[in-house]
Amino acid sequence: MRKTLLIILSALTSILNATADEGMWLPSLISQRIGDMQAKGFKLSAEDIYSINQASLKDAVVLFGRGCTGELISPEGLLLTNHHCGYAQIQKHSSVEHDYLKDGFWAMNRSEELPNDGLTVSFLERMEDVTSVILKGYDPSMKENERAELVRRNSEALVKSITGDDKTMKATVEALYYGNQYFLFVYREYSDIRLVGAPPSSIGKFGGETDNWMWPRHTGDFSLFRIYAGKDNKPAEYSPDNVPFKPKKYFRISTAGVKEGDFTFIYGFPGSTQEYIHSEWVRFISEVSDPDKVALRSLRLDIFNKYMSESQAVRIQYSTKKSRVANAWKKWQGEAGGIIKMKTVETKKAYEKAFASWAKGTEYEGLTDKIEQLCKDLAEHHYLVDFYVETVKAFEAAAFAGMISRDCIPNENDAPLNMVKFRKLTDEFFKDYYRPVDKECFVALMEAFDKKIPAESKPKYFTEQMQKYGSAEAWAEYLLNNTIYTDFEKMNAIGEGDREILEDDPVKEYYVKMTEWVIPHSGKAQYITQDLQLAYRDYMRGQMEYADHLAAKGEGNPEGSKAFYPDANLTLRVAYGHIKGYSPSDGVYYEPSSTLTGIIEKDNPEIFDYNIPQNLRDIYAAKDFGRWVDENGEVPVCFIATNHTTGGNSGSPVINANGDLIGINFDRVWEGTMSDIDFDPDFCRNISLDVRYILFLIDKIGNAGYLFDEMTFTE
């Protein structure tokens, strides 16, 4: 263990001179990067970024919900995040009569702010290296399952010792570098979060899926919430008596504007990256997994679009579902294309060959070959699991039956149904369910399943049913005409003793049989993954030793001085870079900023994604921009920079050299989405919403300028 820690520390120390804007750095260790940050223009100290002794910028950043970032922008708990992060809450409050998705929502006073059941935000209180605690009792002779059990027990004990009975305090222990290092993260969670404002979707989602992941962007992707607390400023369940939360720190807002070359850094919760994986798995992702998942989601999106264009009610019902399906769908396209364009597989193969040569005679000899074979073994089963997720679980009625079975039907045969959960799940499901969409998706996906899955790998049940009914269409008719799970009145009539009705159902049978088929493949994939994780743990250590070896020889790193930083895992990180355009292809150069003029150029009332509100057209025609203009008299909208981001960074504050807010992150450019696997400074750009456009929209579209009274501005 001591050797492991020394290797990690050595690696972290040896990469201080890395020059590329790559990396997702732990805030508690940012002192190791602060020299480079300051050399690039940053004017604050490491203590200003992260401190447990005084208020710091970390105290103004929150984990929003379960997978986004938000930031405090006033001493009254006002919180800024993306429109797509708050989308589910906006959708829940929307109806045909009050369509906040279409029309936007603006509370004109505190009493009009809307509560959001189930939504939480979490502040990081502290993080620390707990490797020695988590691996206490570890012996190298232990099998991997024994080590895993030890880690689990020690982690649970540590978390319990910290959180105790305090339900508002959360703690997690996260493995870094594939388990070579363990960090503790302690959070304070608030649950009274109210919607304050959101622009119409025609602004907040301008460009829709056509512009998603693309540059130039013109999307006003923001929403406003407010954190409420008890009168003691501590977390409290929703109550009309709660008061606005008083944060330790909030961001000042810069209205000075940005220009190419300006220093930027991002504070947020990036979700997941795979920067150190083997070339064979990169090949599988780019050549097999991503293309197949894209094809399957294309089928669903075409069906969604058809029905959503025909009905406002269906558009509201499926708006969040479509966004969730489409986001990854387009990202996977860019990721696969970027991997091929950057020749990532070839580059990694060359590195692995050099590593293998160096590893001869060491504990790492043969390691890359072992990982390659494990990747091939895993791919065989992972492929089938992917298909299950993208087809079987995409059948909404079956997924609903699975949820009812898991959450409402006890294991004991004579036990009554959990009716509280049953009613809640039923109401939530039917609120956003449209049977014709589900039927058509089922038909398209089962036809794809039949075509793509080899005969020897197909479930016996699937083959029998397709033969019995002759087509996916006829099978769908039978299932949906004979199930209770798509009939709200019948489901609403279920009582706590009606277990048999729910279980003796064709859709429930479909879900059970198809799940039984995938379980062995999922189990084998999990088993192989465990072996692969163990191999990667050794490989990670080996890469760091190899880098030290090359540095000692004065040869540098074959990957271009690649910095070793932990893969993202939805923990708080800092990424820094600078505002910069890019050239995606020969003869093409993209400027680093966009303006309101670009929105007007794209405006088209005949195309849903480009049909802006009439008042925005009127404001532009009258040039009624107020003080939210740049030096050219244009309203800035978005900008791009070289910060290393991924999913989870949505809503992250983008901060200038003085620590002031200049924008919020919401996307990456399509050509650089392979940055989860291979960051390239020439093509990888994060896309952010300029804070001046946010202020312009609050002022001119929302008529909510009263909110400025609680903000602090700098120029």
Side-chain angles (χ1 to χ4, degrees):
M1 184 176 71
R2 181 172 175 80
K3 181 181 178 184
T4 297
L5 288 172
L6 289 173
I7 290 168
I8 295 284
L9 291 171
S10 174
L12 292 172
T13 302
S14 68
I15 51 98
L16 296 183
N17 294 322
T19 56
D21 293 335
E22 178 181 5
M24 300 175 176
W25 309 100
L26 291 169
S28 63
L29 302 178
I30 201 64
S31 60
Q32 299 169 346
R33 305 294 307 177
I34 197 66
D36 188 50
M37 294 176 69
Q38 291 172 341
K40 292 178 177 178
F42 189 55
K43 298 178 181 178
L44 303 184
S45 68
E47 190 79 358
D48 292 323
I49 296 174
Y50 176 91
S51 177
I52 60 174
N53 300 314
Q54 63 185 37
S56 60
L57 295 182
K58 81 167 174 65
D59 299 311
V61 183
V62 299
L63 177 64
F64 183 87
R66 294 293 180 262
C68 280
T69 303
E71 53 275 348
L72 278 297
I73 57 171
S74 90
E76 298 294 317
L78 190 63
L79 183 151
L80 178 64
T81 189
N82 284 154
H83 184 272
H84 75 261
C85 292
Y87 198 77
Q89 282 70 42
I90 304 167
Q91 190 246 7
K92 287 179 181 178
H93 289 297
S94 295
S95 63
V96 173
E97 295 75 23
H98 300 285
D99 192 346
Y100 298 137
L101 290 175
K102 177 178 178 292
D103 302 324
F105 170 80
W106 301 96
M108 290 295 107
N109 53 64
R110 303 272 169 90
S111 67
E112 294 181 359
E113 297 173 355
L114 301 178
N116 299 277
D117 183 43
L119 177 63
T120 62
V121 301
S122 301
F123 291 87
L124 178 74
E125 294 202 337
R126 61 187 173 92
M127 62 172 70
E128 62 181 283
D129 188 331
V130 291
T131 308
S132 60
V133 176
I134 301 305
L135 293 181
K136 184 178 182 180
Y138 172 68
D139 187 298
S141 65
M142 283 182 171
K143 296 180 179 179
E144 180 60 15
N145 63 330
E146 294 173 328
R147 184 188 189 274
E149 178 61 20
L150 175 73
V151 168
R152 185 193 66 77
R153 287 199 312 269
N154 288 345
S155 297
E156 286 184 355
L158 178 60
V159 167
K160 187 176 181 179
S161 70
I162 292 169
T163 59
D165 297 327
D166 188 347
K167 294 182 179 180
T168 70
M169 180 171 282
K170 310 294 181 181
T172 64
V173 175
E174 303 292 344
L176 307 180
Y177 302 110
Y178 294 95
N180 281 298
Q181 191 177 27
Y182 293 89
F183 257 70
L184 170 72
F185 298 86
V186 181
Y187 303 91
R188 183 69 66 181
E189 184 178 89
Y190 289 77
S191 57
D192 187 355
I193 317 298
R194 305 181 196 181
L195 178 63
V196 175
S201 291
S202 54
I203 290 174
K205 287 178 65 68
F206 180 80
E209 297 311 320
T210 305
D211 282 6
N212 192 21
W213 302 102
M214 307 300 287
W215 183 256
R217 289 294 293 277
H218 298 89
T219 306
D221 195 351
F222 81 98
S223 56
L224 290 164
F225 292 79
R226 192 182 304 278
I227 305 172
Y228 279 77
K231 293 181 180 178
D232 57 1
N233 208 42
K234 294 180 179 179
E237 296 295 321
Y238 170 80
S239 169
D241 296 328
N242 286 346
V243 296
F245 170 68
K246 305 291 185 183
K248 296 178 184 176
K249 187 78 173 180
Y250 64 92
F251 286 108
R252 301 176 305 182
I253 298 172
S254 172
T255 59
V258 299
K259 64 182 185 301
E260 189 156 17
D262 281 355
F263 176 87
T264 58
F265 84 97
I266 283 180
Y267 225 147
F269 293 85
S272 178
T273 57
Q274 306 177 84
E275 301 290 346
Y276 309 105
I277 57 175
H278 192 277
S279 62
E280 177 58 27
W281 197 247
V282 178
R283 185 202 64 77
F284 173 72
I285 290 172
S286 60
E287 297 180 10
V288 180
S289 180
D290 279 358
D292 279 349
K293 290 186 293 187
V294 165
L296 291 169
R297 292 202 173 192
S298 293
L299 297 173
R300 294 170 69 190
L301 287 169
D302 287 345
I303 295 165
F304 285 1
N305 288 332
K306 181 178 78 171
Y307 286 96
M308 291 173 73
S309 67
E310 296 173 352
S311 165
Q312 182 187 10
V314 176
R315 178 179 60 77
I316 294 172
Q317 286 178 315
Y318 279 79
S319 56
T320 299
K321 296 177 185 178
K322 179 187 172 183
S323 294
R324 290 170 179 167
V325 171
N327 193 52
W329 166 78
K330 196 162 188 178
K331 185 258 188 180
W332 291 328
Q333 294 176 63
E335 180 177 73
I339 288 171
I340 294 168
K341 182 175 182 177
M342 296 307 302
K343 300 185 183 309
T344 302
V345 173
E346 294 85 347
T347 301
K348 280 185 172 286
K349 280 183 176 289
Y351 173 81
E352 289 154 8
K353 183 179 179 181
F355 176 91
S357 178
W358 165 80
K360 290 180 179 178
T362 74
E363 63 179 297
Y364 309 112
E365 184 172 358
L367 185 56
T368 53
D369 290 340
K370 178 182 179 180
I371 293 175
E372 181 175 359
Q373 187 57 55
L374 285 169
C375 287
K376 290 178 178 178
D377 295 342
L378 178 60
E380 178 183 345
H381 301 286
H382 201 285
Y383 178 81
L384 300 177
V385 174
D386 275 350
F387 252 85
Y388 170 83
V389 171
E390 297 296 332
T391 58
V392 177
K393 295 196 74 172
F395 182 24
E396 293 180 73
F400 177 45
M403 282 192 295
I404 293 294
S405 180
R406 183 184 67 248
D407 295 340
C408 306
I409 302 178
N411 292 327
E412 301 81 5
N413 289 331
D414 57 348
L417 298 174
N418 185 328
M419 295 307 299
V420 175
K421 286 186 177 180
F422 181 87
R423 298 293 182 219
K424 185 174 186 293
L425 287 175
T426 299
D427 289 344
E428 289 176 349
F429 175 75
F430 283 100
K431 178 179 181 292
D432 295 325
Y433 180 72
Y434 189 55
R435 177 171 156 166
V437 171
D438 201 22
K439 177 188 175 183
E440 199 163 328
C441 284
F442 175 89
V443 173
L445 294 172
M446 289 300 98
E447 289 175 347
F449 190 98
D450 192 35
K451 181 180 179 180
K452 292 290 292 187
I453 301 298
E456 64 274 14
S457 298
K458 287 175 184 171
K460 180 182 179 183
Y461 166 80
F462 174 87
T463 302
E464 291 174 347
Q465 298 300 302
M466 288 292 283
Q467 291 174 348
K468 179 179 180 179
Y469 295 102
S471 68
E473 175 81 27
W475 189 14
E477 283 287 336
Y478 168 76
L479 289 172
L480 293 172
N481 289 337
N482 291 277
T483 182
I484 191 176
Y485 287 99
T486 60
D487 191 318
F488 178 73
E489 290 186 2
K490 289 182 178 179
M491 288 294 287
N492 212 34
I494 288 288
E496 64 180 19
D498 292 330
R499 175 185 186 129
E500 289 186 7
I501 298 174
L502 296 171
E503 301 215 80
D504 187 19
D505 184 278
V507 166
K508 174 66 180 299
E509 181 188 33
Y510 168 89
Y511 181 82
V512 170
K513 293 292 187 182
M514 296 297 282
T515 301
E516 286 176 347
W517 162 75
V518 83
I519 284 175
H521 296 291
S522 179
K524 289 177 181 177
Q526 187 175 7
Y527 182 79
I528 297 168
T529 298
Q530 289 175 352
D531 288 343
L532 189 57
Q533 289 290 109
L534 178 58
Y536 273 135
R537 189 183 306 148
D538 294 337
Y539 187 40
M540 192 77 247
R541 237 179 15 258
Q543 289 183 77
M544 292 176 173
E545 290 188 26
Y546 181 44
D548 284 346
H549 164 77
L550 293 170
K553 291 178 62 178
E555 296 181 11
N557 190 310
E559 291 191 334
S561 299
K562 181 177 179 67
F564 289 108
Y565 50 89
D567 273 322
N569 57 0
L570 207 63
T571 57
L572 192 60
R573 305 291 180 91
V574 171
Y576 61 94
H578 55 287
I579 294 173
K580 188 178 181 181
Y582 73 110
S583 178
S585 57
D586 183 52
V588 177
Y589 180 77
Y590 285 136
E591 297 290 337
S593 60
S594 63
T595 69
L596 182 57
T597 296
I599 294 176
I600 300 301
E601 291 172 348
K602 290 181 177 178
D603 178 33
N604 187 337
E606 302 300 316
I607 302 175
F608 180 79
D609 287 337
Y610 295 106
N611 183 18
I612 63 174
Q614 184 59 46
N615 57 349
L616 186 57
R617 298 187 185 106
D618 296 340
I619 290 168
Y620 184 83
K623 298 294 188 285
D624 182 22
F625 303 148
R627 57 181 171 139
W628 315 116
V629 295
D630 61 19
E631 65 275 8
N632 299 315
E634 293 269 13
V635 178
V637 175
C638 298
F639 60 84
I640 53 175
T642 61
N643 302 95
H644 194 175
T645 63
T646 188
N649 278 124
S650 291
S652 290
V654 186
I655 308 161
N656 65 13
N658 297 314
D660 299 331
L661 188 72
I662 56 174
I664 57 171
N665 184 78
F666 69 93
D667 207 355
R668 286 173 285 168
V669 301
W670 197 57
E671 297 88 352
T673 52
M674 77 292 184
S675 63
D676 290 348
I677 296 168
D678 186 10
F679 183 93
D680 185 274
D682 291 332
F683 295 98
C684 294
R685 298 289 183 273
N686 65 298
I687 306 176
S688 301
L689 183 62
D690 195 302
V691 74
R692 292 170 294 176
Y693 188 51
I694 297 172
L695 299 170
F696 165 80
L697 292 171
I698 293 172
D699 185 13
K700 299 296 184 178
I701 298 298
N703 295 312
Y706 77 94
L707 292 170
F708 299 153
D709 295 340
E710 60 184 283
M711 301 177 191
T712 301
F713 297 100
T714 64
E715 295 185 357

